[in-house]
Amino acid sequence: MDPTSQIIVALDFDNRRAAEEIVDRLGEECRFYKVGLELLTAAGPDLVEHLVAKGKDVFLDLKLFEIPNSVAGAVRAAGALGASMVTVHSMGGTGIMAAAVAAARDFPRLRVLALTVVTSMTSTDLAEIGVNASPQEQVLRLAQLAQGAGCHGVIASPQEAASLRGVLGPNALVVTPGITLPGESPTEHARPGTPRAAIAAGASHVVVGRTITGAADPVAALRLVRANLEP
Ligand code: C5P
């Protein structure tokens, strides 16, 4: 896969103007964007259709955790907007993941990704919610559940990418946020990794937000990420 299509830039903004400004600045250098709950709520679904109309792939990070019927409806709505990826919480169990996968069948380009354990969580955080496993163990357990439910891939930290690739096989998508460039100090990421480390470990895509969108020169920052991915 060429590095450009492996980089997903997270548009974590509270208004459409700021998001469009970055998309315009990055131009042809970026083909894949993540739209999360903040921007979707602030700017509305039109923005997703606008990005798709510009030829961009959109990862709609809905983080669905609802009853199966409602999850299926939200996945259909994401598919109708032209999204390429949508997320569902694997902690919600097989029922909601299977509902999401079934709903996505009407939209051939739409991939359902399962969230395992957010990259900011530690063993202590898991223990607090009654999960007596390490993040690594919990990620693997949930990833296998997701695969069994038919999900096309998982979201996980760079540090779990290798074991996930081993467990899920060569075709699964393994999408890793929690990406920092070498020398950059991690913000709230508890289990960060560089783009190169993530891809070398078996990630199919990396999600990069503020490293690019918060840079004085976003194009230069994107090029640094891409250069870091090249062998
Ligand atoms: O930190 P950064 O700005 O690169 O975050 C980009 C995306 O990565 C966010 O939209 C968020 O969904 C995801 N992220 C995460 N865990 C974190 C921090 C960010 O999954 N600890």
Side-chain angles (χ1 to χ4, degrees):
M1 214 189 269
D2 85 285
T4 299
S5 58
Q6 292 182 298
I7 302 170
I8 304 175
V9 172
L11 294 173
D12 291 327
F13 295 108
D14 63 5
N15 67 87
R16 178 171 179 151
R17 197 178 43 78
E20 285 196 288
E21 200 178 297
I22 282 286
V23 173
D24 287 344
R25 282 183 83 172
L26 296 179
E28 292 304 310
E29 306 243 0
C30 180
R31 290 207 291 270
F32 216 146
Y33 288 98
K34 179 166 94 73
V35 174
L37 295 173
E38 181 185 16
L39 183 60
L40 182 69
T41 306
D46 283 3
L47 175 65
V48 176
E49 291 179 302
H50 172 73
L51 290 171
V52 171
K54 278 172 92 84
K56 307 301 181 189
D57 286 318
V58 177
F59 167 6
L60 201 49
D61 194 9
L62 296 182
K63 297 183 160 67
L64 298 168
F65 199 149
E66 249 284 11
I67 60 167
N69 187 55
S70 300
V71 166
V75 168
R76 277 194 297 275
L81 289 176
S84 305
M85 289 179 179
V86 66
T87 41
V88 59
H89 270 285
S90 52
M91 293 254 220
T94 300
I96 74 168
M97 290 190 282
V101 171
R105 286 208 185 97
D106 289 339
F107 305 94
R109 63 186 288 188
L110 182 58
R111 298 284 169 265
V112 176
L113 300 176
L115 284 156
T116 56
V117 180
V118 295
T119 57
S120 56
M121 281 189 104
T122 63
S123 297
T124 312
D125 297 319
L126 286 177
E128 269 178 10
I129 58 164
V131 177
N132 291 310
S134 66
Q136 175 92 3
E137 289 164 341
Q138 185 66 357
V139 165
L140 289 182
R141 169 198 285 260
L142 292 174
Q144 283 169 298
L145 199 64
Q147 193 171 46
C151 290
H152 304 98
V154 295
I155 309 289
S157 87
Q159 294 176 25
E160 280 116 27
S163 42
L164 282 168
R165 182 56 69 205
V167 165
L168 300 177
N171 297 325
L173 298 172
V174 176
V175 177
T176 56
I179 297 294
T180 50
L181 279 169
E184 199 182 19
S185 66
T187 46
E188 73 273 25
H189 299 297
R191 311 195 301 282
T194 62
R196 175 173 297 174
I199 297 292
S204 56
H205 299 79
V206 291
V207 176
V208 190
R210 289 161 293 181
T211 292
I212 292 172
T213 59
D217 184 345
V219 174
L222 174 62
R223 287 180 182 158
L224 280 178
V225 171
R226 198 165 50 219
N228 186 261
L229 284 183
E230 273 153 10

